Amino acid sequence: MRFRLRRAAASTVALLLCLLLCAPAAPAATRSSRYAAIDAYIQDRMKATHTPGLSYAVVGPDGPIHQRSWGTDGHGERITAGTPFLWGSVAKPIAASAVMVLVQDGRLRLDDRVVDHLPNFRFGGAAHASRVTARHLLHQTAGLPEAATLKVTDCFEADCPRPSERIGDLDDLRPLGPPGTEYAYTSANYLVLAALVESITGRSFADYLRQAVLDPANMDGAITDQASARKRNLPPGHQLLWGIPTAIADGVDDHGAGYGYLGGDLNDLAAFASFQLRAGRTADGDTVLTPESVRLMREEGRLQPNGTGTGHGLGWRVGGLDAPLDEAIWHTGATPGYSAMLFLLPKRNIAVVLQQNLYELLQDEAVMQVGFGAARLLADGRAPTSSASTSLYYWTIGGATTLAMALILTAGRSALLLRRPATPSSPLRRTVLTALWCLAGALPWIALAQVADRMGLGQLMNWVPDLFISVWVAAAAGAATIVLRLILAIRSARVGPRRPRSGRDEGLAAE
């Protein structure tokens, strides 16, 4: 009996020791295996999208837990955690954080009318503009249409207008509806916010952003303008030229830090994620964002009067994804040549940040899938089972290139015909053929007119350079085809119609 008791006691002690010593090993092994799965998934996506370089990190409240970098930058140098990237619209929750600091300081209220700080804001007319508030801009419910982005963003010149000087380009746009009743995601909202902040503080938005958020969050290497981009030696990003990633994208909007032209290295982006996981506190515990500000930023906006959710908080995208990311707080972003993603999983107290030096507008879903897949793997260990298609890009570029080549050949053939003697033809045949050739030559001009109306030719060059080149070459060849075919038709008409041969003519020809 005594032996059994000793053996039972020994077994109990051994079990307790095993639980104490072995239990931590299992979660660590699970984490290690999950990180390895994320690494493998990301590398597979890099191959699928031909991404030259990428850097990512799994982040906790105290900083990166796991991080990896692969590939090369636009200078041909190896990507490291210190390689700078641009973040695109991931800038929006950072900019919104700066706005909330103004609100906490009592210098701005969320329901302040924009016109009270920016009298030259006249979007939609005086009646509409006078009802737009800072909250509407943050929630993307000011009534600005998506197309507004292309009217006021992506200025890469050295003397680009300040935000307050650009908002006049919004005056003639038709609002989607009264403020607060319609949701439309557009960077124009955040350009107006930048103008609002500059009006209140008397400083550039980039300077205020650095003081209010970037420095407290330890984002010491953040890029906010052209000067800081040069200081960090920001390499060009990559865009596809007929399917080949090419380092040609090096534009930075000097006044675009509020809506997309913000960047930095992996440590900077991870620092913002950690700052958010600490609920707006610095690494030393100082409060930058109050709990109420954090709550408001992560609370989904509601449309009036029906209360429909917008999927957007104050700067953040809220939910809107399938489980296990249904409660994620997140944002993605892109500039020509760069893309970035940030996913907070507050209940797990963890985040994933990712940045890559490739972006292609016609492959947006395929390029961005890497971030969503990595976040899903981090949340539940399961990768997406399907991949986004890249067919839209190849069909569009292939079609435009084929049209350009066909019109070049057509123009060349038409030029050769001009060197031959004119041949008569019937008026009907001549008219029909000339009309068909002119219609073919006009196709790229019709396409250019559509693009100019929707996004502008400058923006087409910024975002899809190979399509821009193909369409312009097709347009030039089309114009040449039209001119040459009209000349051929006029020359043929002057020769006169072909005369039918008489019996005598046929007899003479036989002799």
Side-chain angles (χ1 to χ4, degrees):
M1 180 68 177
R2 193 174 298 168
F3 173 75
R4 290 177 182 173
L5 287 173
R6 283 201 302 269
R7 188 169 65 181
S11 298
T12 301
V13 171
L15 178 61
L16 288 172
L17 286 172
C18 183
L19 288 172
L20 289 171
L21 297 176
C22 300
T30 301
R31 286 196 300 269
S32 177
S33 132
R34 186 162 295 185
Y35 298 156
I38 297 173
D39 291 351
Y41 173 79
I42 289 175
Q43 289 180 294
D44 285 344
R45 290 305 305 162
M46 286 182 69
K47 292 176 183 177
T49 56
H50 307 292
T51 299
L54 181 149
S55 195
Y56 96 100
V58 176
V59 184
D62 297 324
I65 301 168
H66 171 83
Q67 62 185 53
R68 291 287 186 271
S69 300
W70 297 283
T72 57
D73 66 16
H75 293 143
E77 302 293 331
R78 190 171 69 86
I79 295 288
T80 69
T83 302
F85 294 72
L86 290 178
W87 300 334
S89 287
V90 172
K92 289 183 173 69
I94 303 174
S97 299
V99 173
M100 294 307 293
V101 171
L102 269 185
V103 172
Q104 292 168 185
D105 291 345
R107 303 174 71 182
L108 172 71
R109 293 178 303 170
L110 287 175
D111 293 319
D112 275 358
R113 301 188 314 162
V114 174
V115 293
D116 291 338
H117 301 280
L118 289 174
N120 63 329
F121 178 69
R122 293 184 291 271
F123 160 63
H128 182 91
S130 65
R131 298 171 59 191
V132 176
T133 67
R135 191 191 302 270
H136 291 139
L137 296 172
L138 287 163
H139 270 156
Q140 305 268 8
T141 58
L144 281 160
E146 293 180 20
T149 293
L150 302 173
K151 294 181 71 67
V152 295
T153 62
D154 305 321
C155 179
F156 303 144
E157 304 302 323
D159 57 349
C160 286
R162 303 189 69 83
S164 60
E165 297 167 342
R166 299 189 201 181
I167 60 177
D169 292 336
L170 304 173
D171 292 355
D172 296 333
L173 292 177
R174 183 187 297 274
L176 297 174
T181 64
E182 297 287 342
Y183 168 83
Y185 181 89
T186 170
S187 291
N189 282 305
Y190 278 70
L191 184 100
V192 178
L193 277 170
L196 186 66
V197 170
E198 291 186 350
S199 175
I200 293 171
T201 64
R203 304 166 60 184
S204 73
F205 183 82
D207 285 347
Y208 176 73
L209 181 67
R210 194 172 291 278
Q211 176 242 315
V213 177
L214 303 181
D215 287 345
N218 289 329
M219 301 168 70
D220 301 328
I223 292 169
T224 58
D225 51 24
Q226 293 179 11
S228 52
R230 287 191 296 269
K231 184 178 179 180
R232 290 298 312 269
N233 193 26
L234 175 71
H238 295 77
Q239 292 174 289
L240 295 182
L241 288 181
W242 291 275
I244 300 172
T246 309
I248 58 172
D250 58 0
V252 176
D253 189 331
D254 220 14
H255 303 292
Y259 72 84
Y261 286 88
L262 183 69
D265 59 34
L266 184 64
N267 298 314
D268 297 316
L269 191 54
F272 182 71
S274 293
F275 170 73
Q276 287 294 326
L277 290 174
R278 295 191 300 267
R281 292 189 299 273
T282 68
D284 296 330
D286 296 331
T287 297
V288 178
L289 295 174
T290 65
E292 177 65 7
S293 291
V294 173
R295 183 190 70 79
L296 286 172
M297 291 183 70
R298 301 180 184 183
E299 183 178 74
E300 184 179 19
R302 300 284 170 181
L303 297 178
Q304 300 299 324
N306 55 20
T308 302
T310 63
H312 206 284
L314 301 179
W316 287 107
R317 290 190 181 273
V318 181
L321 305 175
D322 295 334
L325 300 180
D326 49 326
E327 295 183 351
I329 308 298
W330 59 283
H331 220 293
T332 62
T335 64
Y338 279 108
S339 49
M341 291 136 253
L342 191 164
F343 294 84
L344 300 177
L345 305 176
K347 289 190 175 180
R348 302 170 187 263
N349 211 26
I350 202 167
V352 61
V353 296
L354 184 148
Q355 47 190 6
Q356 52 191 346
N357 59 6
L358 173 75
Y359 185 72
E360 168 53 55
L361 184 64
L362 296 176
Q363 284 194 26
D364 175 85
E365 188 176 355
V367 171
M368 294 297 189
Q369 184 177 343
V370 62
F372 291 94
R376 186 172 294 277
L377 274 165
L378 180 64
D380 69 357
R382 289 181 293 177
T385 56
S386 60
S387 297
S389 173
T390 60
S391 60
L392 175 62
Y393 169 79
Y394 288 104
W395 277 107
T396 303
I397 299 302
T401 304
T402 300
L403 177 61
M405 293 176 66
L407 287 172
I408 289 172
L409 292 173
T410 298
R413 183 174 182 275
S414 300
L416 288 174
L417 289 174
L418 277 177
R419 302 183 63 182
R420 299 177 183 177
T423 57
S425 62
S426 70
L428 177 60
R429 182 174 183 274
R430 183 171 60 247
T431 301
V432 170
L433 287 178
T434 301
L436 289 175
W437 283 119
C438 289
L439 177 60
L443 286 177
W445 289 99
I446 295 171
L448 281 174
Q450 293 291 322
V451 170
D453 182 59
R454 291 172 179 265
M455 68 181 300
L457 298 180
Q459 293 287 20
L460 180 65
M461 180 60 187
N462 288 339
W463 290 95
V464 199
D466 45 2
L467 181 60
F468 176 87
I469 294 168
S470 296
V471 174
W472 266 115
V473 170
T481 297
I482 292 170
V483 171
L484 291 169
R485 283 290 163 175
L486 287 173
I487 293 173
L488 285 168
I490 293 170
R491 193 177 68 157
S492 177
R494 286 178 177 175
V495 172
R498 186 189 300 271
R499 289 187 304 155
R501 291 183 177 182
S502 65
R504 177 178 173 79
D505 291 337
E506 291 177 357
L508 289 173
E511 292 176 0

